[in-house]
Amino acid sequence: MGSKNKLKRFNENATFKNVIQPAREEVVSHFKYQGKWNEFFGNDHPITLELGCGKGEYTVALARKYPNRNFIGIDIQGARFWRGAKTALEEGLNNVAFMRTQIELVDAAFAESEIQEIWITFPDPQMKYKRTKHRMTNPEFLVKYQRILQPNGIVNLKTDSEFMHGYTLGLLQGRGEEILYAHHDVYSNTESPDEVTATQTFYEKQYLEIGKAITYIKFRLH
């Protein structure tokens, strides 16, 4: 994407009512929407997050499917989720928002037990050992998710990385977490949840074209 296109999207994001772009200091000091996201949406519907949302495919697709739930896509790359934010506005989806911030600030952006469900879609697996702290399912991130999730809240991990799938599955099993579903190739399994196979991200389609398997884990944190 050219720099002119990025700048255009950044500028357009600033005019979108469904896009929030706080400075890091705003989030960590006392974020105005922490514990008050239902005021932002104007209802008390349950909230689902898509972390590292990219173009926001899951955020928008789930919002279409579940009009009585609210969905927030989070990514540090505002030029990416511009597409999802624009689509949501064009379709009049009032249950969609996008927030530009770092994923590690998620527990500062949301209050304890404020979130019902989390989707992590095709994160960077950060395979090198020294990058472990950046893996979005490492123990520190799991603690953050547990803090903001309701007691029976769900986490979904969908990835093309066998390494990320195996790492997460082993970590969850070692911690004694509740694994609701796990499969290393969701499109070869007729019992895969519809939400997993019905929506395909931009990158997922590219992976499928070259025959790469897509993995999925659904779990609860206790």
Side-chain angles (χ1 to χ4, degrees):
M1 185 190 303
S3 58
K4 288 185 178 179
N5 280 339
K6 279 189 177 181
L7 182 59
K8 179 181 177 181
R9 292 183 176 188
F10 281 135
N11 291 336
E12 200 165 354
N13 276 346
T15 69
F16 290 166
K17 64 180 182 179
N18 62 354
V19 171
I20 303 161
Q21 303 185 92
R24 183 184 178 91
E25 293 72 23
E26 292 179 62
V27 180
V28 298
S29 60
H30 184 64
F31 188 50
K32 64 180 179 179
Y33 290 120
Q34 186 188 42
K36 299 179 180 179
W37 280 98
N38 286 126
E39 292 182 17
F40 173 86
F41 286 106
N43 58 57
D44 60 356
H45 297 163
I47 299 172
T48 295
L49 303 182
E50 183 188 4
L51 302 180
C53 67
K55 296 176 182 292
E57 292 100 332
Y58 261 87
T59 301
V60 173
L62 291 172
R64 291 189 190 112
K65 187 172 183 177
Y66 299 106
N68 293 323
R69 289 164 55 183
N70 299 321
F71 298 87
I72 304 172
I74 298 179
D75 204 296
I76 194 60
Q77 299 292 340
R80 290 180 185 170
F81 66 59
W82 165 87
R83 180 64 271 169
K86 190 174 182 69
T87 297
L89 290 174
E90 290 171 346
E91 296 184 14
L93 297 172
N94 296 319
N95 60 335
V96 176
F98 288 89
M99 181 176 176
R100 183 175 180 266
T101 194
Q102 293 92 344
I103 304 300
E104 64 262 26
L105 301 183
V106 68
D107 56 339
F110 301 93
E112 184 176 341
S113 302
E114 192 170 19
I115 303 303
Q116 184 186 59
E117 187 170 13
I118 291 173
W119 279 85
I120 304 171
T121 49
F122 299 92
D124 187 331
Q126 307 286 359
M127 294 177 65
K128 292 183 178 180
Y129 179 76
K130 64 180 181 180
R131 300 291 296 176
T132 301
K133 65 179 181 180
H134 297 289
R135 291 177 198 152
M136 288 179 61
T137 57
N138 75 28
E140 291 184 10
F141 274 109
L142 293 182
V143 170
K144 292 175 184 287
Y145 305 154
Q146 185 178 28
R147 189 174 302 146
I148 65 174
L149 280 169
Q150 296 169 4
N152 290 316
I154 300 293
V155 182
N156 305 273
L157 171 66
K158 187 177 182 183
T159 174
D160 67 301
S161 171
E162 292 183 9
F163 169 82
M164 187 69 169
H165 179 81
Y167 166 81
T168 304
L169 198 58
L171 184 61
L172 294 173
Q173 290 171 337
R175 291 166 57 96
E177 306 293 1
E178 183 181 2
I179 299 170
L180 303 173
Y181 180 93
H183 203 277
H184 66 281
D185 188 354
V186 293
Y187 291 101
S188 70
N189 183 11
T190 57
E191 296 181 0
S192 295
D194 178 65
E195 290 177 359
V196 180
T197 56
T199 301
Q200 295 179 358
T201 70
F202 172 79
Y203 294 108
E204 181 177 0
K205 291 175 182 176
Q206 293 183 334
Y207 300 145
L208 291 172
E209 286 178 1
I210 61 175
K212 205 168 188 181
I214 305 300
T215 73
Y216 173 68
I217 307 173
K218 180 177 184 178
F219 59 94
R220 284 196 182 100
L221 298 170
H222 297 296

